[in-house]
């Protein structure tokens, strides 16, 4: 199953432990080196879809300084899908590098 | 962020959420979404940015489209009062409790039966047709509360819109499963 870039980055952000919404947005920004800036609307739409596919679940809920926090974490299936997608992307990157290195003037 | 600016920011976020998302979403995700928007605010920011506003409006529209019943079910529900499948019952609740519920129902019924209505009223003077339509509308308006109660019960909701069954928390399951 090929994941959208945003979904992949969200799963990757959650791979080191549970995070709340704002935590996911920050982690995705860091992972993508500032290239992907998730909006709150996009984030919750993506989380709903990922939860629907059984890739993430709510780990816990709490209220901190009057702010409602809901923490999300990967399911076992989510971790498997993330690993499979990472392998696929790595293979694709290797192929891309090999092809580019064959082009004149593109030695890598 | 000073208290005044923070409260202006929060008020604008709430307004945006009301514009973008249906009540069922705000009821279960509103507090969480608002907290995230408050976390995202830069010092001194007085409202959500254009980018954030557009993102939420787009996400809200996608959610509404995703959760809207398919045309055939929608037509049976709107015109014949049929119960929607279980996974659309929260959509039905918002529709029944929403503004202009009676007008939406009557409008759809009239559109579907328009040929028949034209035929049965063809011999009548136009004022009589208008009086009949007015009386129908008036009786529907007067029985609105009872109509809402009945339709909510049909979709397993109490008259105040609370569910007969506990809803799984968002992020747990994408669609609510019918209890055994």
């Amino acid at each position: 199953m090929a994941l959208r870039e945003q979904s992949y980055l969200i799963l990757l952000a959650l791979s080191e432990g549970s995070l709340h919404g704002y935590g996911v947005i920050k982690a995705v920004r860091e992972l993508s080196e500032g290239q992907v800036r998730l909006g709150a609307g996009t984030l919750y739409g993506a989380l709903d879809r990922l939860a629907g596919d059984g890739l993430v679940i709510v780990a816990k809920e709490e209220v901190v300084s009057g702010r409602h926090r809901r923490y999300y974490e990967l399911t076992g299936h989510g971790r498997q899908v993330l690993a499979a997608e990472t392998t696929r992307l790595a293979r694709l990157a290797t192929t891309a590098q090999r092809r580019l290195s064959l082009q004149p003037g593109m030695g890598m | 962020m000073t208290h005044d600016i923070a409260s202006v920011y929060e008020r604008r976020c709430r307004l945006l959420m009301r514009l973008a998302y249906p009540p069922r979403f705000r009821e279960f995700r509103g507090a969480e979404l608002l907290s995230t928007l408050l976390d995202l605010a830069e010092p001194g920011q007085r409202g959500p940015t254009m980018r954030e506003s557009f993102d939420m409006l787009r996400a809200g529209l996608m959610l509404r489209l995703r959760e809207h019943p398919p045309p055939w079910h929608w037509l049976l529900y709107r015109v014949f009062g049929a119960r929607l499948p279980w996974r659309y019952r929260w959509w039905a609740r918002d529709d029944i409790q929403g503004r202009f519920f009676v007008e939406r129902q009557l409008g759809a019924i009239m559109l579907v039966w328009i040929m028949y209505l034209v035929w049965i009223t063809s011999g009548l003077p136009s004022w009589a047709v208008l009086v009949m339509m007015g009386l129908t509308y008036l009786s529907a308006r007067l029985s609105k509360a009872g109509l809402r109660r009945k339709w909510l019960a049909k979709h397993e909701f109490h008259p105040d819109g609370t569910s007969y069954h506990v809803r799984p928390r968002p992020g747990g399951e994408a669609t609510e499963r019918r209890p055994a």
Side-chain angles (χ1 to χ4, degrees), chain B residues 98-114:
Chain B
R99 289 168 72 187
F100 307 118
F101 168 64
V102 167
E103 287 77 3
R104 279 198 300 273
Q105 293 300 120
L106 287 179
I109 290 168
M110 279 182 68
L111 272 180
V112 169
W113 295 108
I114 191 108

Side-chain angles (χ1 to χ4, degrees), chain A residues 23-88:
Chain A
V24 174
I25 290 174
K26 274 199 309 185
V28 165
R29 199 179 299 172
E30 280 167 24
L31 285 167
S32 66
E33 296 169 343
Q35 295 292 305
V36 178
R37 299 166 77 90
L38 285 181
T42 303
L43 171 73
Y44 287 108
L47 282 173
D48 276 349
R49 278 195 303 276
L50 292 171
D53 292 339
L55 304 182
V56 303
I57 50 164
V58 175
K60 63 172 179 171
E61 294 180 51
E62 62 184 17
V63 177
V64 182
S65 311
R67 294 190 185 175
H68 188 105
R69 304 267 191 228
R70 194 171 270 141
Y71 290 81
Y72 298 85
E73 67 180 17
L74 284 185
T75 60
H77 177 50
R79 201 166 284 280
Q80 282 173 4
V81 169
L82 177 65
E85 183 68 1
T86 304
T87 307
R88 190 185 72 83

Side-chain angles (χ1 to χ4, degrees), chain B residues 104-150:
Chain B
R104 279 198 300 273
Q105 293 300 120
L106 287 179
I109 290 168
M110 279 182 68
L111 272 180
V112 169
W113 295 108
I114 191 108
M115 295 307 287
Y116 180 65
L117 288 171
V118 167
W119 180 66
I120 59 166
T121 58
S122 57
L124 297 172
S126 54
W127 65 265
V129 176
L130 283 175
V131 167
M132 272 172 60
M133 283 171 69
L135 285 174
T136 308
Y137 176 65
L138 205 64
S139 66
R141 286 287 303 182
L142 289 174
S143 56
K144 190 169 79 171
L147 208 66
R148 273 196 164 133
R149 235 188 346 263
K150 195 174 136 199

